Amino acid sequence: HPLRTGIVAARPPVAVDPEKQARFRGCLLGGAVGDALGAPVEFMGLPEIRARFGAAGIRDFVPYVGKAGAITDDTDSTGAIAGNRLGARHGVDAIPRRWLEPLALRGVIEEIADDLLSWPQWPVWDRLPDDPAELAAAAYWIDRYPGG
């Protein structure tokens, strides 16, 4: 895709273990294939699937939202989860700046990450504490994450 300069950038060559690449691609593509096969029958019961596609059920891509092989938000979620896992393994410094800098809500996401990282210190209350210091801590979390 074009960068702000209008130049279409190619991915820089990086040495990748072919076996790992095949497994990672297989993971993402296998999920997308399963999504594309399942999307047209997602809310059907088995009798309806068999009536429409035969006793063996759906065996190949069929049109869904106007295109055979169309994927859904399930594949988007899989991509997000893969990004989560890679980010956790390699850290924020491995994410290209050109993706981080314009990222919507980046600061909010970083704050939530910091809050989640401090999870062991998260207090839980049945009632508001009487101690002023504990009450101040409770107010922070209650105001930050209401409805809990």
Side-chain angles (χ1 to χ4, degrees), residues 18-137:
E19 184 181 337
K20 283 184 182 176
Q21 183 182 40
R23 286 196 317 260
F24 192 71
R25 285 181 175 184
C27 174
L28 295 182
L29 291 171
V33 166
D35 184 23
L37 286 168
V41 296
E42 185 170 6
F43 299 106
M44 293 182 191
L46 186 56
E48 187 180 354
I49 293 169
R50 286 185 171 157
R52 185 162 173 202
F53 298 103
I58 193 163
R59 311 253 322 148
D60 207 345
F61 294 138
V62 297
Y64 175 74
V65 296
K67 180 172 176 31
I71 59 174
T72 72
D73 60 330
D74 293 353
T75 297
D76 294 340
S77 296
T78 300
I81 292 167
N84 295 150
R85 302 277 318 234
L86 288 168
R89 180 176 180 132
H90 300 290
V92 71
D93 292 337
I95 302 171
R97 276 188 131 95
R98 72 178 189 277
W99 294 346
L100 284 175
E101 289 173 0
L103 187 66
L105 301 175
R106 177 184 175 186
V108 172
I109 294 167
E110 289 172 336
E111 288 179 22
I112 291 170
D114 293 345
D115 286 348
L116 290 171
L117 187 59
S118 70
W119 178 265
Q121 292 94 12
W122 280 28
V124 177
W125 301 275
D126 312 10
R127 61 181 183 76
L128 290 177
D130 296 324
D131 179 85
E134 288 181 32
L135 183 59

